């Protein structure tokens, strides 16, 4: 990891820019798969699954028995750990339910909001070597709490046509309606258009490779909403001179192991702590199974020594990190200065892994600088907040004249008339 | 307006489909304008303004003096009406501020959310014959309440290079930071990339014609977020046999006058009230200045007689209207059955115009069936909700083992290690 000392303010804009990534032109491939799904439905899904996942499936839908049995196929220790995470994530997201609050804006005019779960949502869970069952928890728990009527989950099968039992266990635990063995562009297409087996959904959630990302982006052109734009994961750590170098290095590496395109940033006013952390990084790196991936990510990464803590915070806000760890004695104080970040970890013991798995906060967060304009996934992501208004005779008499005046000034005379007919009748 | 009686359930899917609209391929034009703005900056903006708005501007930015003077250029009556709307919209949106609620998910693990205003937001207000100053209120009031640091507004000038004073008055009243005389694709491009005069923003709000809509859609590829996908405005009214035909007809027309592509839908179990409303529609239509537009919209519109109230609600939820008016005696009861809608108007006196202007709710709402997956604009649209977590020694000891177990099962060993190093040190 390269170290910079007091970079000039002029350089900041280029320093916060994420490592350039050549984005392949995937729209054509996506369109082809989407077209095929619209034409051939389930048949296309079986064909693509055979082609890309090398699995010859008899059925796309996971049977209820397999979901029920999943708890027996994982260790008791893993099951108990998932249950701990389930409890904490549920507790945190449950409190995000908005209470109905009726507001009388003018005498006789009462307005309020009510949340309704999006009726049908889809969750995508990538395949590959590691089963990302934690993401099932992070998406299906708030979906269920939001009152979504139908929660479907698509994930690619392995060569033997199987889904990892930890994924199935989490789906069962959270109340997912149906699980389907389908991955990649074809899964996103199926959830966008619907097939005989897989229902179309209104919003698609979840991570994925560049194909899945391109497909989700494209799905928006066909009426589906998506959770947020995707990008490589990242962490920014601000460490003061009293930070624990071993902890900070471990946190940097836990982000770096995600992928060669991950980025980790370390900021400090202390040259000494930066040096200690760099030493620790080298030491810990050698022991990691995914050391090649992490080493590659560290090449794109930076340690920056600033003169003041204020500069550290300013740089962090400009960078807008997905994860921000404040490994500082005055971390509580610093939180007030956080403007742009996805999720913030305060103090020595709040490691990013805690939020990734089990503390209760959501791990689906805005990357790639999108923390400037997007929030992470929460209960809000699964509801629509509908406004309601109730207006009495007195209410329309109170605000009617203002509406008439404004509608006329906007030259919308039918808008004005809708009030006029009411006021006239009330005068009779 | 065509009347249908008890359409078969099989037909519903085609009935809720919005009138087909040929979407012009505008991406090429948008890309050309965007490229020019990136290359030539402000110069491109002046050129496009001369070309499209026929205005030869000396400056893009409206001077402070002109903003201040705007209140003198509108009538006292309009100013007072705007002030009424300002108060009500402020009251309603202020209550959407989320209080910080710290949750101890496990002993020693405290999680919460805090809202931060998006630092820079842009508001687009279309030009044309009518000055849509009400939209300035609907977007700038929540932006200001959310704590957005910089709120810019772009709107095209008339041929004389002027902006309507009602727009300027609303901008001044709501605390917009700067107003710029620029419209169309070039305004969206300027807010996306920034020029010497116009700052780049993180999120772009506001309505517009097909060019503006295409440009907003495209802006998302360059890092900007947008409020929501756009489409023609619409209303669905459920009227029972006691509804006031004159009121309902006036409400249908107030929506129909928006544009030839607007759609209005009337549902009822009463043939008699449908007939009365149709008669009233004809009567009121002749008196409207925009009768040609409204008549065109009515051609795309439907009155449907259903056997039961339940079917009316089911159809409404399938249609997912932007505006839903419940002109029924049991409207309060019916609200519980609303699943998909942008904003709901309850009873005889809650006309759509009230929500459009002055009751307090926001008029920027999801159209075109997007009420299935999007909420209207609210304070939420202008903030990011950042999660925070603070974990004590005891806290990490409590949840650490579960994190280690889950990380290992996902084969993310550095994630596991970030917990292991902490637990080990605590054992010492």
């Amino acid at each position: 990891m390269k170290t910079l000392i007091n970079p000039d303010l002029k350089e900041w804009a280029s320093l916060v820019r994420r490592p350039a990534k050549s984005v392949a032109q995937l729209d054509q491939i996506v369109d082809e798969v989407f077209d095929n799904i619209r034409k051939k439905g389930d048949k296309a899904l079986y064909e693509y699954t055979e082609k890309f996942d090398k699995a010859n499936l008899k059925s796309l839908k996971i049977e209820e028995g397999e979901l029920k049995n999943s708890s027996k196929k994982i260790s008791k220790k893993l099951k108990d750990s998932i249950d701990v995470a389930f409890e904490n994530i549920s507790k945190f997201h449950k409190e995000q339910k908005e209470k109905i609050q009726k507001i009388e804006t003018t005498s006789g005019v009462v307005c309020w909001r009510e949340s309704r779960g999006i009726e049908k949502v889809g969750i995508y869970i990538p395949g590959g070597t590691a089963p990302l069952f934690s993401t099932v928890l992070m998406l299906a728990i708030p979906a269920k709490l939001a009152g979504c009527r139908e929660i479907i989950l698509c994930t690619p099968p392995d060569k033997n046509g199987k889904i990892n039992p930890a994924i199935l266990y989490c789906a069962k635990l959270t109340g997912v309606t149906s699980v389907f063995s389908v991955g990649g562009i074809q899964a996103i297409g199926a959830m966008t258009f619907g097939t005989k087996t897989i229902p179309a959904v209104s919003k698609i959630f979840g991570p994925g490779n560049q194909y899945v990302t391109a497909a989700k982006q494209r799905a928006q052109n066909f009426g589906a909403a998506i959770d947020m734009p995707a990008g490589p994961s990242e962490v920014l750590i601000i460490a003061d001179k009293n930070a624990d170098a071993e902890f900070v290095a471990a946190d940097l590496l836990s982000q770096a192991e995600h992928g060669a395109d991950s980025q980790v940033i370390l900021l400090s006013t202390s040259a000494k702590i930066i040096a200690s952390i760099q030493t620790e990084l080298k030491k810990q790196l050698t022991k990691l199974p995914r050391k090649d991936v992490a080493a590659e990510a560290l090449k794109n990464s930076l340690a920056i020594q600033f003169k003041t803590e204020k500069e550290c915070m300013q740089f962090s806000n400009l960078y807008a990190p997905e994860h921000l760890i404040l490994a500082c004695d005055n971390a509580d104080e610093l939180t007030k200065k956080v403007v742009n970040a996805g999720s913030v970890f305060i103090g020595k013991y709040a490691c990013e892994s805690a939020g990734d798995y089990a503390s209760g906060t959501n791990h689906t967060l805005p990357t790639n600088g999108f923390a400037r304009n997007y929030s992470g996934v929460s209960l809000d992501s699964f509801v629509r907040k509908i406004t309601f208004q109730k207006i009495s005779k007195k209410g329309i008499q109170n605000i009617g004249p203002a509406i008439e005046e404004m509608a006329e000034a906007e030259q919308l005379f039918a808008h004005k008339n809708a009030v006029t007919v009411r006021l006239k009748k009330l005068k009779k």
Side-chain angles (χ1 to χ4, degrees), chain A:
Chain A
M1 190 156 79
K2 200 175 157 189
T3 300
L4 299 177
I5 299 172
N6 296 318
D8 195 273
L9 195 59
K10 277 182 239 160
E11 285 176 59
W12 286 26
S14 69
L15 291 174
V16 301
R17 210 171 289 143
R18 272 53 171 186
K21 210 180 62 163
S22 66
V23 181
Q25 260 330 109
L26 299 173
D27 277 0
Q28 215 182 321
I29 304 171
V30 171
D31 282 342
E32 194 190 305
V33 176
F34 278 16
D35 279 347
N36 249 326
I37 291 170
R38 271 180 294 184
K39 273 186 220 144
K40 295 161 64 180
D42 286 336
K43 193 162 178 286
L45 301 182
Y46 284 108
E47 286 170 5
Y48 285 122
T49 304
E50 190 162 358
K51 186 173 170 190
F52 296 120
D53 304 304
K54 315 288 173 211
N56 198 332
L57 298 178
K58 289 212 178 62
S59 162
L60 290 165
K61 190 173 170 177
I62 302 296
E63 280 172 35
E64 191 51 35
E66 204 173 336
L67 281 167
K68 270 191 193 149
N69 275 328
S70 60
S71 67
K72 295 172 200 151
K73 292 188 180 163
I74 59 173
S75 73
K76 170 85 168 53
K77 216 173 151 192
L78 180 56
K79 190 179 158 299
D80 290 347
S81 299
I82 289 173
D83 292 353
V84 166
F86 176 82
E87 281 306 316
N88 288 347
I89 299 165
S90 297
K91 263 187 220 165
F92 185 62
H93 288 78
K94 209 173 276 173
E95 294 297 327
Q96 292 166 8
K97 278 194 190 177
E98 199 178 81
K99 278 145 213 80
I100 296 173
Q101 213 182 348
K102 297 196 176 183
I103 320 220
E104 190 160 21
T105 54
T106 291
S107 175
V109 180
V110 179
C111 305
W112 69 95
R113 295 202 293 179
E114 294 185 24
S115 293
R116 297 285 191 274
I118 296 174
E119 288 185 289
K120 296 180 183 190
V121 297
I123 296 173
Y124 184 79
I125 300 293
T129 46
L132 295 182
F133 56 84
S134 62
T135 304
V136 181
L137 301 178
M138 294 293 175
L139 297 175
I141 291 172
K144 196 72 189 175
L145 288 171
C148 297
R149 217 185 54 200
E150 191 160 8
I151 305 164
I152 69 164
L153 189 154
C154 290
T155 188
D158 66 17
K159 279 178 201 167
N160 305 314
K162 293 286 172 204
I163 308 291
N164 186 290
I167 289 178
L168 296 182
Y169 176 69
C170 289
K172 179 75 190 158
L173 182 68
T174 52
V176 165
T177 319
S178 323
V179 178
F180 300 100
S181 295
V182 60
I185 301 172
Q186 58 273 25
I188 307 301
M191 292 195 274
T192 304
F193 303 108
T195 67
K196 203 176 163 193
T197 308
I198 301 182
V201 300
S202 295
K203 193 167 181 178
I204 302 171
F205 294 80
N209 62 19
Q210 55 177 344
Y211 295 96
V212 170
T213 298
K216 276 175 67 186
Q217 204 69 33
R218 197 92 182 112
Q220 295 185 94
N221 293 30
F222 300 99
I226 64 168
D227 46 2
M228 68 183 79
S233 201
E234 64 206 17
V235 69
L236 185 148
I237 304 183
I238 302 179
D240 70 8
K241 63 182 195 314
N242 298 326
D244 186 305
E246 192 186 2
F247 295 180
V248 173
D251 291 342
L252 290 169
L253 287 172
S254 76
Q255 189 55 48
E257 79 170 338
H258 267 300
D261 55 0
S262 293
Q263 194 179 37
V264 305
I265 305 277
L266 170 65
L267 309 182
S268 184
T269 56
S270 157
K272 204 175 149 201
I273 193 76
I274 291 178
S276 311
I277 293 166
Q278 293 271 27
T279 308
E280 265 294 328
L281 271 177
K282 282 182 199 115
K283 206 169 108 189
Q284 293 183 24
L285 183 62
T286 56
K287 294 177 200 157
L288 288 181
R290 293 168 65 91
K291 57 174 166 284
D292 295 343
V293 168
E296 202 58 42
L298 288 178
K299 279 187 200 161
N300 296 324
S301 298
L302 288 174
I304 310 179
Q305 184 192 329
F306 282 112
K307 274 193 193 126
T308 64
E309 187 186 79
K310 194 179 164 192
E311 282 176 312
C312 292
M313 286 309 299
Q314 282 171 336
F315 186 89
S316 173
N317 281 325
L318 193 66
Y319 184 81
E322 180 190 9
H323 304 97
L324 169 62
I325 300 179
L326 299 171
C328 305
D329 289 341
N330 65 340
D332 284 313
E333 197 53 39
L334 287 180
T335 59
K336 294 176 196 156
K337 288 172 184 149
V338 175
V339 182
N340 298 324
S343 194
V344 183
F345 300 77
I346 300 167
K348 262 194 168 65
Y349 298 100
C351 51
E352 194 205 300
S353 312
D356 286 341
Y357 289 109
S359 63
T361 59
N362 209 291
H363 78 197
T364 309
L365 296 165
T367 57
N368 206 19
F370 281 114
R372 290 180 204 113
N373 31 23
Y374 290 86
S375 306
V377 162
S378 72
L379 198 71
D380 301 340
S381 315
F382 295 90
V383 300
R384 281 84 28 79
K385 294 187 182 172
I386 303 175
T387 49
F388 290 83
Q389 59 200 286
K390 199 171 170 180
I391 302 181
S392 67
K393 288 177 190 175
K394 199 167 152 236
I396 195 70
Q397 284 173 325
N398 282 333
I399 63 169
I403 299 169
E404 289 182 300
E405 183 67 24
M406 290 173 77
E408 186 171 333
E410 287 194 354
Q411 298 173 34
L412 293 171
F413 292 94
H415 282 65
K416 181 185 178 185
N417 192 51
V419 173
T420 309
V421 293
R422 285 166 166 95
L423 294 182
K424 266 193 192 157
K425 204 160 274 182
L426 286 172
K427 267 191 197 158
K428 279 177 191 166

